[in-house]
Amino acid sequence: VMVLDSFYLSFYAVFRAHQNLKYEAVGIMVGQAIIVTAGAAVLLLHLSLHFLVGAILCGSVFNFFYGWAVLSQQLKIKLRLGFNRTILKVLLTIAAPFAISGIFARVYGYIDTVLLSTLAGDQAVGWYSAGYKITFALQFIPLAFAAAIFPAMANYFATNKAQLAKVFEKSMYYLMIMAVPISLGVFTLAREFIVRMYGAQFAPTTLALQILICSVFFNFLGFPLGSLLNACNRQVTNTVNMGITMVINIVLNIILIPLFGAEAYIGAAIAAVVAGASLFFLGLYWAGKIVRYNKIFLLKGFFKILFSGLLMATAIIFLKPFSSFFFLVPLGAVVYLGSLAALRGFDYAEIKEFYNSFRNKPAAPINDPAPTEL
């Protein structure tokens, strides 16, 4: 699975470089549908674990051959075996910071459950993981956003610094528009989410979820910050930031988990929020050294979004004793969007302009680039 994934992700990266994500989107959706269908069949037939892992392999096999097919048909790129020492050296040099950053991200993302299991036991891991999975699942939103804007940022870094700043500002702003209501909405309805997803026996997870959901704001905005650093040849800086965040997370977990005793999962949740905030502010510091973005615009926008979000949360809290969960969610969305529209927090023309700014294709690459330009 890992070998096949490394290939098809490389195929899709070529389409990302052309700022065309539709083939990747189709491949990922169909691949996931295959995994779910095959996995469900394995479970219903009570087959062994090997077959369940085979379901994941089916999705990877599909994406590999699909990615290969569209690459050759749409871009006329034919794959063949070859070896070029110079290009390999350049690629490994470029890839090293990303590889190290990926290791840091994995350690940062999983060390809390390892330390919880070691220092507090498996029950604490269960309480923590139930809330963490909800916040982790939400990361597909900024992840998709980052995938769309990264090629545009790389292109504008080389061709148009003013447009780069504009794309960065709008990315941060529109992710704030999504992050704030999600954070406040889940915070106010945390118990309802937990009970409906896991059952009443997981009610102790409520406080952990309320703490963890606060990290969504920093996590969402961390994606465009990371994309900016990587797109502007600051991948080493981004890796250092990730390493610092990893260390902060480990140290805080070691301190806070024993400190909270029976509620050790609360300490892990606090550590996760502080670590996420640290990564955000480190990225924000370096972003200011790369582009001259409009800080006043983002600050004013944040207060408009925050006010609308608090109004939504107030309405939910007030009506919660009298209304069902399924009514409160759409009601909160209406209150939030209505309030934000009244404050002129977004403009449809600007949204369309922003969409077009990272949809436009980059300039054609130079043929046969020198190794230093690769």
Side-chain angles (χ1 to χ4, degrees), residues 88-367:
L88 180 62
K89 183 179 179 180
V90 173
L91 288 176
L92 288 176
T93 302
I94 294 172
F98 292 99
I100 297 171
S101 178
I103 294 171
F104 287 161
R106 288 294 180 181
V107 174
Y108 162 55
Y110 291 100
I111 194 65
D112 42 13
T113 55
V114 173
L115 290 174
L116 265 176
S117 178
T118 304
L119 300 175
D122 291 339
Q123 186 182 59
V125 175
W127 298 142
Y128 178 79
S129 297
Y132 180 80
K133 285 180 180 179
I134 295 175
T135 59
F136 182 79
L138 294 170
Q139 289 190 11
F140 81 92
I141 298 173
L143 188 62
F145 212 86
I149 64 174
F150 178 77
M153 283 184 169
N155 181 44
Y156 290 137
F157 175 64
T159 61
N160 191 333
K161 294 295 197 307
Q163 190 65 17
L164 172 64
K166 194 170 184 179
V167 169
F168 173 69
E169 289 170 11
K170 297 298 183 180
S171 300
M172 296 287 283
Y173 184 69
Y174 292 129
L175 281 172
M176 276 197 291
I177 287 179
M178 290 183 276
V180 169
I182 289 174
S183 301
L184 292 173
V186 175
F187 185 92
T188 53
L189 294 171
R191 182 179 177 83
E192 286 74 12
F193 272 106
I194 291 296
V195 171
R196 278 167 175 77
M197 292 186 69
Y198 300 108
Q201 67 270 27
F202 276 86
T205 305
T206 300
L207 181 56
L209 175 59
Q210 288 179 316
I211 296 171
L212 285 167
I213 204 66
C214 297
S215 67
V216 164
F217 177 84
F218 302 113
N219 292 341
F220 270 45
L221 271 63
F223 276 89
L225 287 168
S227 294
L228 179 71
L229 292 176
N230 289 334
C232 298
N233 204 27
R234 297 293 185 93
Q235 58 268 26
V236 174
T237 300
N238 197 37
T239 300
V240 171
N241 290 348
M242 186 61 72
I244 293 171
T245 303
M246 179 190 70
V247 172
I248 291 173
N249 194 33
I250 293 173
V251 171
L252 286 177
N253 272 287
I254 292 174
I255 295 172
L256 295 177
I257 288 174
L259 188 64
F260 277 82
E263 296 182 327
Y265 54 92
I266 302 299
I270 294 172
V273 175
V274 175
S278 301
L279 184 61
F280 167 76
F281 285 112
L282 284 169
L284 199 63
Y285 169 78
W286 286 106
K289 294 182 175 295
I290 298 173
V291 292
R292 298 181 63 180
Y293 63 93
N294 191 338
K295 298 180 179 64
I296 301 300
F297 164 76
L298 289 178
L299 196 60
K300 286 182 177 179
F302 171 72
F303 284 115
K304 289 181 182 179
I305 294 167
L306 181 62
F307 177 80
S308 301
L310 290 173
L311 195 64
M312 174 201 72
T314 302
I316 291 174
I317 293 171
F318 178 76
L319 294 173
K320 189 159 60 170
F322 315 104
S323 305
S324 70
F325 172 82
F326 297 102
F327 173 76
L328 291 172
V329 173
L331 174 68
V334 170
V335 172
Y336 173 74
L337 292 174
S339 174
L340 193 59
L343 294 172
R344 296 182 180 180
F346 59 87
D347 183 275
Y348 291 109
E350 284 188 357
I351 294 174
K352 185 177 180 180
E353 181 186 356
F354 171 68
Y355 171 75
N356 290 331
S357 69
F358 64 78
R359 184 172 177 269
N360 294 331
K361 302 291 187 291
I366 300 172
N367 292 328

